[in-house]
Amino acid sequence: MGLTLLTAWQGAKRRLEAAGLAGPVIDARLLVEAAADATRADIVGDPYRALTPEQEDTLETYLTRREHREPVSHILGRKGFWKIMLRVNANVLTPRPDTETVVELVLRDFPEHAAWSVLDLGVGSGAILLAILAERPAARGLGIDVSEEALAVARDNAASLGLAGRLALLRGDWTTGLGDGTFDLVVSNPPYIATEVIETLEPEVRVHEPRLALDGGEDGLDHYRTLAPEILRVLKPGGRFAVEIGYDQKDAVEALFREAGAQDVATFRDLSDHDRVVAGAKKLLEITA
Ligand code: GLN
C-alpha cells in the first residue's frame, strides 16, 4: 500500500468517519501514532515517513476493531487521566475526564504534605486513587473492588507509577469488614446507570465496558443507598467524601447522604457543566462540657 504518516492518518480519518464514529479525527490520530510508533509531532514534522508493512498491518487491525466500536482505550490498552497514564482493558471502566472532578475537589481540600488516608470504593483501574496519591506524597490509600480482574489492572498501574508502596488493593464487597472511623477521605465512582438505560448507550460502553461498573439497579441509585451510611461509618469524625454521580442524580444522592448524617453536602459540576460529584463531611465529635 505504501502509506506515509500523513496518508495513513487521512485514510484512517475517512474510514472512521464513514463508520459514523463520533470523534474520527482524534481517534485516527491516536491509532496511527500507536500503529506507526510515532508521536503527534512526527505526524506534523515528518509527514512523509513511510509505515513499514508490519505497521500497516497493525493499523489495519486497529481500524477494523474501532469500526466494530471497540473503544480506542481498549485497542491501545491505555488511557490518560489527570496527570497519569493508566493501563486499561475490558475489565475496568475506562477513566473519563468527568471523573477528574473528584480528583480536583480532593486536591483542593487536602494539603500537599499532610499524612492522611483515602479509601476508594470500586477502585477499578485505580484512576481516582492513583491520581490522588501521585499528587499527595504523604497520603496512603486503600482500594477495594469486587472484581479480581480489575484489581490486577489497578495493581499493575500502581506498580508502574511507583505508588505500590503507599496503597493496598483488596477484593471486597464495598465496606464489608472495614472498621468504623478509619479514613480521612472516601472517594468512589460507583455504578450509577439505571439498568434499562444501559441498553440505550453507545456500543463502546454497552458492549465493551464491564456491566458490573455501570449497573446501578432499577433507578441507578442502588449503590448510593448502600454506600451513604457506610461511607459515614468508615470515615473519621471530620473526614470528607466525594462520590461521582449521574448528571440527574444530584437531589437523590444529596438526600441519601444527608439522611446518613453527613454535613456540608454539596454538588459540583464537571467541565461539561453537568452535576457530577456529591461531596460532604462527617461531623466532628461533639464536645459537651
Ligand atoms: N459515566 C459513565 C458513563 O456514562 C458511567 C460511570 C458509572 O456508572 N460510574 O458511561
Side-chain angles (χ1 to χ4, degrees), residues 270-288:
D270 61 23
L271 289 175
S272 319
D273 213 27
H274 292 125
D275 287 330
R276 188 58 65 201
V277 181
V278 171
K282 176 166 170 171
K283 282 191 185 110
L284 278 169
L285 291 179
E286 273 157 38
I287 302 180
T288 44

Side-chain angles (χ1 to χ4, degrees), residues 93 96 98 189-193 201 205 209 213-214 244 276:
L93 194 76
R96 286 132 160 86
D98 306 344
N189 176 15
Y192 57 67
I193 312 282
L201 300 175
V205 179
E209 295 215 84
L214 297 168
E244 180 165 330
R276 188 58 65 201

Side-chain angles (χ1 to χ4, degrees), residues 79-160:
K79 173 82 181 179
F81 176 80
W82 194 253
K83 297 177 191 168
I84 57 179
M85 185 57 76
L86 294 157
R87 189 191 131 206
V88 297
N89 61 27
N91 295 313
V92 296
L93 194 76
T94 291
R96 286 132 160 86
D98 306 344
T99 306
E100 293 178 352
T101 314
V102 175
V103 178
E104 205 180 326
L105 272 173
V106 167
L107 297 182
R108 193 196 66 180
D109 290 337
F110 287 80
E112 187 172 355
H113 294 291
W116 46 275
S117 60
V118 46
L119 168 67
D120 185 340
L121 294 168
V123 67
S125 66
I128 301 175
L129 183 58
L130 295 170
I132 293 171
L133 293 179
E135 298 251 15
R136 290 294 178 264
R140 308 186 73 86
L142 172 62
I144 303 282
D145 210 284
V146 72
S147 158
E148 202 55 72
E149 291 80 12
L151 289 168
V153 176
R155 283 196 187 104
D156 194 16
N157 283 323
S160 46

Side-chain angles (χ1 to χ4, degrees), residues 115-118 179-186 230-241 281-285:
W116 46 275
S117 60
V118 46
D180 297 356
T182 308
F183 300 94
D184 297 292
L185 170 68
V186 179
E230 279 299 296
I231 287 175
L232 272 290
R233 180 180 73 77
V234 300
L235 276 176
K236 291 181 188 169
R240 303 194 58 83
F241 64 89
K282 176 166 170 171
K283 282 191 185 110
L284 278 169
L285 291 179

